[in-house]
Amino acid sequence: MKLTAEALQQALLNTADQIEQQKDELTDLDREIGDGDHGINMSRGFQAVKKELQGKDPFEDLGELSKLVGMTLIKTVGGASGPLFGTVFVKFASKWNGKETVEGDQLYHGFREAVEGVAARGKSQTGQKTMLDVWEPFTEALMGEEPLETVIENALADTKELKATKGRASYFGDATKGVQDPGALSSSILLRQIAEVLNG
């Protein structure tokens, strides 16, 4: 599996469209176990990313692309999600600066850096019903044989059954079991698009 700057650019444009389609679902979930603004915030952020990327020449530097996306998300996505999703791309930028293509260990270490960045920023870990519960298995699967789409589906199913112990959702306690975490779902939308371009 390899990731080019051009492919990531396309995956991000596709993500913006998918987020827009699922905006209401994300917001409804967040009303159940959050403050009800996740879909709106993610839509705002990824529409801003789309505006930055659409019609531009293909990027040749994964670091430059990732930094632009990270800073755009931090500036435009409200709540906790902006800094967390922004951190993913800022960390990608630090690992992939000056590279047009990454594969193997370079690809994995970019994602590993992103996961650790999100954990540090959110003071969270896997098992707490957050976006990490999707990002962590996806990252490990980059070095394995299991299809990425299957990994994402399984991670979402597992996350749904967890009790939230971190963030605003933790206030809802046992009521969070059986309800999908909005951050995990929006992460899965992004990761599905990345998986698609990784698989060629």
Side-chain angles (χ1 to χ4, degrees), residues 114-144:
V115 166
E116 289 172 6
V118 168
R121 174 56 70 98
K123 298 183 176 61
S124 54
Q125 59 193 39
T126 53
Q128 295 181 318
K129 199 182 180 90
T130 70
M131 63 190 280
L132 273 180
D133 292 301
V134 176
W135 281 89
E136 176 67 44
F138 182 91
T139 298
E140 286 309 306
L142 293 172
M143 301 300 275

Side-chain angles (χ1 to χ4, degrees), residues 42 85 131-132 134-135 182-192:
M42 292 301 289
F85 277 86
M131 63 190 280
L132 273 180
V134 176
W135 281 89
L185 182 58
S186 55
S187 292
S188 77
I189 295 170
L190 169 61
L191 291 172
R192 278 198 175 100

Side-chain angles (χ1 to χ4, degrees), residues 66-80:
S66 297
K67 186 176 179 184
L68 173 63
V69 172
M71 300 316 289
T72 301
L73 292 174
I74 288 168
K75 281 190 297 190
T76 56
V77 179

